Amino acid sequence: MRGAVQEEAGPRGRRDTDFRAELRGAGGWWRRKSSTAKVETYTRWSFHFFALAEFASVGVPFGSGVWQGPVLWLPLIMAAHCALSAVTASRALDWTRGRRPRPVRLMVAFALLTAAVAAVALWTAEHGPGGEEVDTAAGGVFGVALIFAACVTTLGVRGWRQALAVVAGYAAAADALALLLGAPAPAVLVSVAAVLLGGGFMATTSVFSVWLLDTVYRLDEARETRARLAVAEERLRFGRDLHDVMGRNLAVIALKSELAVQLARRGRPEAVEQMIEVQRIARESQREVRDVVRGYREADLGVELLGAQGVLTAAGIECEVRGEVGGLPAEVQSALGWVVRETTTNVLRHGNAGRCAVQVRATGGKVVLTVENDGADGEGADGGGSRAGAGADGGGSGGLGSAGPGLTGPGLTGPGSVGGGPVGGGSGLAGLAERLGKVGGTLEAGIAGAGVFRVVAEVPLVVEDSVASEVLS
């Protein structure tokens, strides 16, 4: 009996797992989009929904039997108008993003079709067959077509003046059509007022939507520029430090070498003393360069945590830091501080994160640093390579960077090894694992849930002196 239940539960469990995987795959296209792409998709489909709403407002009377007989073709041409409206809106939005030239011919064709729909609707309302219900419905088609046409056409212009000119043009068209088809004066005034108010509101919506989309893209560009400037500034600082340390010593070495050459040509014994001095200065310069590089590479964990929280918060990413770092050995802070620096940098450069959590805790004779961010772009831990690594310089948009070769899942454990493969020099997860391996630490990285990527670094509290000097240098 128990075996039968287990056999029945097994396939059911597999079906549930497959169903959840299908749901994750269906929503994956949205999670893989960046924030700017999500805003653009939302804006684009909002205008497509306007086309559906336009047709729905005309198709409502279908249930009451209004659109029958000779007037059935009116909602049919209205459907063509809605379809062309969606296409025009999409092409105009592409123009606002600089992806294609302004769709002038398409906008002209859309305006002509709008005028034709409005003329046919007004003629049906004034002179066509049918009773009062048909007249009312046709009048609605007349107003709705002009109002939504003003909304869509505004996407293809720039500035408030041109947008107001579009609305005024459609209102003037409504006035002209009503007068030509013999509509009574009160009806003409009502039509013009409806187009002005409704078209003005919809045109304002279009202008604001385009402005918001442009602002989001500009903020994203500013964010990328700030990250590049931060990297460039750090490179300049390191270059200045090297210049300050090496400039004077190299100048002295050059002068003393030249003096030694002159003395040697004259057979003077002082040439040996000058070369001994050159050798001493060269060794001193080598030591000073090591000091500069050590100071550049060393990272105080407390300072790095505060810096990461400030940078991520300034970038609009909610950052939560938990744990105390006081009293930790310098080599432990340096190794874990480097992990914080790399993961934070790549959350900014490659990620689509809205939240990042950093936790430091000491347990069982070791220090554990955990960095989690949402917005990860990955199919799962065992999906042939996570695209959300912790510090790769090579693309990927999953949050903490791109995993790189050999980083295929969350089980990236073992001192100095990632995913069971050897770790060479370089940056990213491989470089972090190498650095932690030198102090006996381990690194784990991978998808930890729906859209969540986690990096866990563990370092023992007691580090041998030889190992500590190696990792700090």
Side-chain angles (χ1 to χ4, degrees):
M1 180 67 180
R2 181 179 302 175
V5 172
Q6 290 178 349
E7 289 178 0
E8 182 179 357
R12 181 182 302 173
R14 286 193 295 270
R15 287 195 298 268
D16 293 341
T17 302
D18 294 341
F19 179 70
R20 289 193 295 268
E22 291 178 0
L23 288 179
R24 288 195 299 267
W29 70 274
W30 178 259
R31 291 194 299 268
R32 285 191 293 269
K33 289 180 176 291
S34 64
S35 298
T36 52
K38 288 178 180 178
V39 173
E40 180 179 352
T41 301
Y42 171 79
T43 303
R44 190 178 298 273
W45 280 99
S46 296
F47 285 101
H48 291 170
F49 175 78
F50 284 169
L52 295 177
E54 178 184 0
F55 184 75
S57 63
V58 177
V60 167
F62 270 116
S64 60
V66 173
W67 301 123
Q68 294 180 359
V71 295
L72 181 59
W73 44 266
L74 183 56
L76 297 181
I77 63 173
M78 191 62 178
H81 181 268
C82 296
L84 188 59
S85 172
V87 174
T88 305
S90 180
R91 298 292 179 85
L93 284 174
D94 287 340
W95 168 70
T96 61
R97 300 304 327 135
R99 297 171 186 156
R100 64 171 69 239
R102 181 184 297 187
V104 177
R105 295 182 179 178
L106 187 61
M107 292 170 61
V108 171
F110 178 65
L112 294 177
L113 181 59
T114 301
V117 171
V120 171
L122 189 58
W123 180 87
T124 302
E126 296 295 331
H127 308 289
E132 183 177 354
E133 292 183 355
V134 174
D135 296 343
T136 302
V141 172
F142 173 78
V144 167
L146 291 172
I147 290 173
F148 279 94
C151 170
V152 173
T153 307
T154 305
L155 293 174
V157 299
R158 294 191 184 277
W160 285 102
R161 292 184 179 181
Q162 296 184 14
L164 293 176
V166 168
V167 175
Y170 278 105
D175 185 19
L177 288 174
L179 292 176
L180 288 175
L181 294 176
V188 174
L189 293 178
V190 171
S191 299
V192 172
V195 173
L196 280 175
L197 294 178
F201 174 77
M202 298 297 290
T204 302
T205 302
S206 298
V207 172
F208 178 76
S209 298
V210 172
W211 171 82
L212 180 62
L213 185 60
D214 288 341
T215 302
V216 169
Y217 270 98
R218 289 175 182 174
L219 287 175
D220 185 67
E221 292 174 359
R223 175 180 171 181
E224 294 179 357
T225 302
R226 181 173 56 184
R228 288 195 298 268
L229 289 176
V231 173
E233 183 178 357
E234 186 66 10
R235 289 173 178 171
L236 289 175
R237 185 193 70 80
F238 186 60
R240 287 194 300 268
D241 291 345
L242 282 179
H243 178 270
D244 293 340
V245 169
M246 296 297 297
R248 176 182 61 85
N249 291 347
L250 289 177
V252 174
I253 288 175
L255 289 175
K256 286 188 172 293
S257 299
E258 184 178 357
L259 178 59
V261 169
Q262 297 296 331
L263 292 175
R265 288 176 178 175
R266 299 176 184 177
R268 302 281 296 275
E270 291 87 348
V272 177
E273 297 179 359
Q274 295 298 324
M275 291 307 300
I276 293 176
E277 183 67 12
V278 167
Q279 186 180 33
R280 184 192 66 80
I281 296 175
R283 289 176 177 174
E284 180 69 16
S285 300
Q286 186 179 20
R287 183 190 62 80
E288 291 180 353
V289 169
R290 286 199 186 112
D291 292 339
V292 171
V293 175
R294 182 182 300 115
Y296 179 73
R297 287 187 175 180
E298 284 182 358
D300 182 81
L301 184 55
V303 174
E304 291 298 331
L305 289 174
L306 290 176
Q309 189 174 29
V311 170
L312 292 176
T313 302
I317 300 174
E318 180 184 355
C319 183
E320 179 183 5
V321 177
R322 299 192 303 270
E324 296 292 335
V325 299
L328 296 179
E331 59 273 9
V332 173
Q333 293 201 36
S334 178
L336 295 181
W338 190 260
V339 176
V340 173
R341 180 185 298 177
E342 286 289 330
T343 53
T344 302
T345 300
N346 287 279
V347 167
L348 291 173
R349 292 179 60 187
H350 304 299
N352 186 30
R355 182 181 180 276
C356 182
V358 184
Q359 182 182 17
V360 181
R361 55 188 176 89
T363 176
K366 60 185 178 182
V367 182
V368 181
L369 171 69
T370 304
V371 182
E372 287 185 354
N373 72 285
D374 59 5
D377 177 14
E379 298 300 328
D382 54 353
S386 171
R387 300 177 65 186
D393 292 333
S397 59
L400 296 179
S402 177
L407 310 176
T408 59
L412 312 180
T413 59
S417 95
V418 180
V423 176
S427 60
L429 277 176
L432 292 176
E434 181 183 23
R435 178 176 291 273
L436 293 177
K438 290 180 179 179
V439 294
T442 61
L443 182 69
E444 298 179 7
I447 299 295
V452 176
F453 195 84
R454 178 184 298 160
V455 174
V456 180
E458 297 182 1
V459 177
L461 282 172
V462 180
V463 181
E464 298 180 0
D465 293 339
S466 59
V467 176
S469 61
E470 182 181 2
V471 73
L472 288 177
S473 61

